[in-house]
Amino acid sequence: MNPFRRRIQTAMQSGGGAAAWTPASIAGLQLWLDASQITGLNDGDAVATWSDLSGNANNAVQATASSRPTYQTAEINGLPAVQFDGVDDFFDLTSNINATNFTVFIVGRKSTGAALHFVGVCAKGAAGALAPLYYGGDGNFYTQTQTGAYRVTGSQNATLQSNFLYAGYSNAGSPQHRLNRVLLGGSNTSSGSPTAFDAIGARTIFGDYAAQFVGEVLVYDSSLSAGDITLLEDYLQAKWATP
């Protein structure tokens, strides 16, 4: 067992006076959404507010009833997930996240057969704003940093239709993508100006809406170290049983 997994399991199993390890134990956590911590809803209920667990009260909210994603039980490793319908579902963030560098983790699954976009944490209303994660209908990942958009070559569509663990981060101004703990290749291109992250599941200016299930979302305001990325991937993989 690697030391990161051992550290997580020890912390999660500890009790009494010992404080359990959580993603908030790593500095810079700006947003933490965990579908397994949603309470008071039944299977299929609309989610008006997905509470932020980071301590920043940056809740994901949707005031329009018809655009609310739904709560689904036992979707990923027997745990609940939030489902976006690919038509008009999305969340606004209570406060924009402004970060020159960032690290984002998403556990999810794209809806089977969906031809629509997988959209993670985004800037929904600015032309060219893909920050920091957008999966296009052409089968490529895109992201936005201070240096422009980043394209990952090769379709990941089949992988995304199974439960997956995504990690995206800006490394010295150059964005990187990891899917199921594997670093993906790609090339930098210029596309628009970077803006704040302000939504989950949509880039409304382009009519891009996610068709997906989401179990957990973590956003940090820095490019985390390789050790911290591994630690968080261990935590998410152990919890959600992703590859």
Side-chain angles (χ1 to χ4, degrees), residues 37-48:
Q37 299 300 312
I38 294 175
T39 60
L41 295 180
N42 297 314
D43 189 51
D45 284 351
V47 182

Side-chain angles (χ1 to χ4, degrees), residues 199-220:
I200 306 287
R203 296 191 309 154
T204 55
I205 193 171
F206 295 119
D208 294 339
Y209 293 93
Q212 70 193 51
F213 298 87
V214 175
E216 193 158 352
V217 177
L218 300 168
V219 180
Y220 292 84

Side-chain angles (χ1 to χ4, degrees), residues 104-106 132-133 141 164-168 176-180:
V104 176
F105 298 85
I106 297 175
L133 168 62
F141 278 110
F164 67 84
L165 167 57
Y166 169 85
Q176 304 289 334
H177 299 274
R178 292 172 60 84
L179 186 59
N180 294 335

Side-chain angles (χ1 to χ4, degrees), residues 19-210:
W21 184 94
T22 75
S25 302
I26 295 177
L29 182 61
Q30 299 297 301
L31 179 69
W32 179 11
L33 304 175
D34 182 353
S36 73
Q37 299 300 312
I38 294 175
T39 60
L41 295 180
N42 297 314
D43 189 51
D45 284 351
V47 182
T49 300
W50 193 356
S51 296
D52 174 26
L53 305 177
S54 72
N56 297 310
N58 193 9
N59 300 329
V61 298
Q62 179 51 261
T64 302
S66 62
S67 293
R68 291 172 181 165
T70 56
Y71 176 78
Q72 305 292 331
T73 59
E75 278 296 338
I76 303 177
N77 193 32
L79 297 174
V82 173
Q83 183 177 16
F84 297 75
D85 67 1
V87 178
D88 59 2
D89 286 359
F90 72 98
F91 288 116
D92 287 306
L93 296 180
T94 302
S95 302
N96 291 356
I97 299 175
N98 295 280
T100 301
N101 291 306
F102 58 83
T103 309
V104 176
F105 298 85
I106 297 175
V107 172
R109 184 177 73 251
K110 189 178 179 186
S111 296
T112 302
L116 301 178
H117 307 283
F118 169 85
V119 188
V121 186
C122 293
K124 69 178 186 298
L130 314 179
L133 168 62
Y134 163 69
Y135 175 77
D138 60 358
N140 292 282
F141 278 110
Y142 295 84
T143 194
Q144 184 94 26
T145 69
Q146 302 297 326
T147 59
Y150 189 74
R151 172 176 173 167
V152 173
T153 58
S155 176
Q156 306 297 324
N157 191 57
T159 302
L160 290 175
Q161 289 186 0
S162 299
N163 299 336
F164 67 84
L165 167 57
Y166 169 85
Y169 57 97
S170 172
N171 181 12
S174 178
Q176 304 289 334
H177 299 274
R178 292 172 60 84
L179 186 59
N180 294 335
R181 311 190 67 147
V182 176
L183 182 66
L184 301 177
S187 59
N188 285 318
T189 59
S190 177
S191 177
S193 300
T195 60
F197 315 159
D198 62 7
I200 306 287
R203 296 191 309 154
T204 55
I205 193 171
F206 295 119
D208 294 339
Y209 293 93

